[in-house]
Amino acid sequence: DGGITQSPKYLFRKEGQNVTLSCEQNLNHDAMYWYRQDPGQGLRLIYYSQIVNDFQKGDIAEGYSVSREKKESFPLTVTSAQKNPTAFYLCASSTTTGGIHEQYFGPGTRLTVT
Amino acid sequence: GQQVMQIPQYQHVQEGEDFTTYCNSSTTLSNIQWYKQRPGGHPVFLIQLVKSGEVKKQKRLTFQFGEAKKNSSLHITATQTTDVGTYFCAGDGYNKLIFGAGTRLAVHP
């Protein structure tokens, strides 16, 4: 059963702690993405990666870090430097070949920092 | 930088009424994609438009891409309660998508 998994679904942390969100895909996609969504808002791109061992900053990368050591995995770390980390985090992947590069999204992780 | 604007931000309709959301880009797009996000869920791909003036239909949904490839629309005929959610357009940026802010659709039975 192919798809993208994100864990956990809900995550609670104290202010000042780093937290890592998991994203795994078995779709054999080269590209992976991290988005942040605030209530009633659109999707803002945090980081993206087109290939293993390479990634680029999106529009709101400050306070976040990523790694892409394996094709299947693209974990996101929310650091204590992120001023307002409470949000819904969505991971997505897509192929980079062929005509349609639709993005497949995971179920998301709701992070609450108090 | 490249921007994609989407209007309206929010729309209430009675079940059976039609609904349209509009998307405008600051630059010419090579293609545009549409996604739907149900409340509490994640975005799901609906369609991609590539050609100037292209019109595609999926049952009660009609998607259009403007002649200049800078705007697009999604029209839903005779809305149903299952249409509830947020509809996003996304333009093709370099190795990434530029999402509009979305239109949230509420359907009252």
Side-chain angles (χ1 to χ4, degrees), chain A residues 78-94:
Chain A
V78 185
T79 75
S80 56
Q82 168 51 233
K83 290 182 172 39
N84 186 17
T86 294
F88 185 42
Y89 290 89
L90 286 157
C91 178
S93 72
S94 73

Side-chain angles (χ1 to χ4, degrees), chain B residues 3-47:
Chain B
Q3 286 189 325
V4 174
M5 278 72 71
Q6 198 172 347
I7 57 169
Q9 188 175 2
Y10 184 65
Q11 185 143 15
H12 255 161
V13 298
Q14 287 295 129
E15 189 172 20
E17 291 181 340
D18 291 357
F19 159 78
T20 304
T21 173
Y22 301 91
C23 191
N24 289 286
S25 170
S26 57
T27 59
T28 302
L29 300 168
S30 57
N31 63 68
I32 193 158
Q33 297 181 6
W34 285 91
Y35 291 77
K36 177 183 178 180
Q37 184 178 22
R38 293 183 186 274
H42 58 275
V44 174
F45 174 80
L46 294 176
I47 207 162

Side-chain angles (χ1 to χ4, degrees), chain A residues 28-104:
Chain A
N28 199 33
H29 286 165
D30 287 310
M32 296 187 74
Y33 311 83
W34 273 105
Y35 294 92
R36 171 183 170 136
Q37 187 173 37
D38 293 286
Q41 303 296 312
L43 305 172
R44 292 189 289 170
L45 183 64
I46 304 172
Y47 268 98
Y48 61 106
S49 168
Q50 295 290 302
I51 198 168
V52 174
N53 291 323
D54 190 38
F55 49 82
Q56 287 77 41
K57 292 182 179 179
D59 301 317
I60 56 164
E62 187 175 344
Y64 300 97
S65 66
V66 292
S67 63
R68 187 84 188 277
E69 296 175 3
K70 298 187 299 183
K71 187 176 185 177
E72 303 79 20
S73 179
F74 191 39
L76 173 74
T77 297
V78 185
T79 75
S80 56
Q82 168 51 233
K83 290 182 172 39
N84 186 17
T86 294
F88 185 42
Y89 290 89
L90 286 157
C91 178
S93 72
S94 73
T95 181
T96 55
T97 57
I100 297 180
H101 301 165
E102 66 190 88
Q103 291 191 7
Y104 292 78

Side-chain angles (χ1 to χ4, degrees), chain B:
Chain B
Q2 184 181 4
Q3 286 189 325
V4 174
M5 278 72 71
Q6 198 172 347
I7 57 169
Q9 188 175 2
Y10 184 65
Q11 185 143 15
H12 255 161
V13 298
Q14 287 295 129
E15 189 172 20
E17 291 181 340
D18 291 357
F19 159 78
T20 304
T21 173
Y22 301 91
C23 191
N24 289 286
S25 170
S26 57
T27 59
T28 302
L29 300 168
S30 57
N31 63 68
I32 193 158
Q33 297 181 6
W34 285 91
Y35 291 77
K36 177 183 178 180
Q37 184 178 22
R38 293 183 186 274
H42 58 275
V44 174
F45 174 80
L46 294 176
I47 207 162
Q48 175 172 290
L49 304 174
V50 178
K51 298 177 185 174
S52 168
E54 187 169 15
V55 178
K56 286 190 176 180
K57 293 193 175 189
Q58 289 179 349
K59 296 183 181 178
R60 294 178 294 103
L61 277 59
T62 301
F63 303 85
Q64 292 190 319
F65 202 8
E67 294 290 340
K69 299 183 75 173
K70 294 182 75 173
N71 58 74
S72 181
S73 65
L74 158 58
H75 180 82
I76 302 178
T77 303
T79 54
Q80 299 175 358
T81 54
T82 53
D83 295 324
V84 163
T86 301
Y87 293 85
F88 294 97
C89 62
D92 193 20
Y94 182 67
N95 288 332
K96 61 185 178 180
L97 290 176
I98 312 297
F99 279 87
T103 296
R104 191 149 57 105
L105 173 64
V107 180
H108 297 285

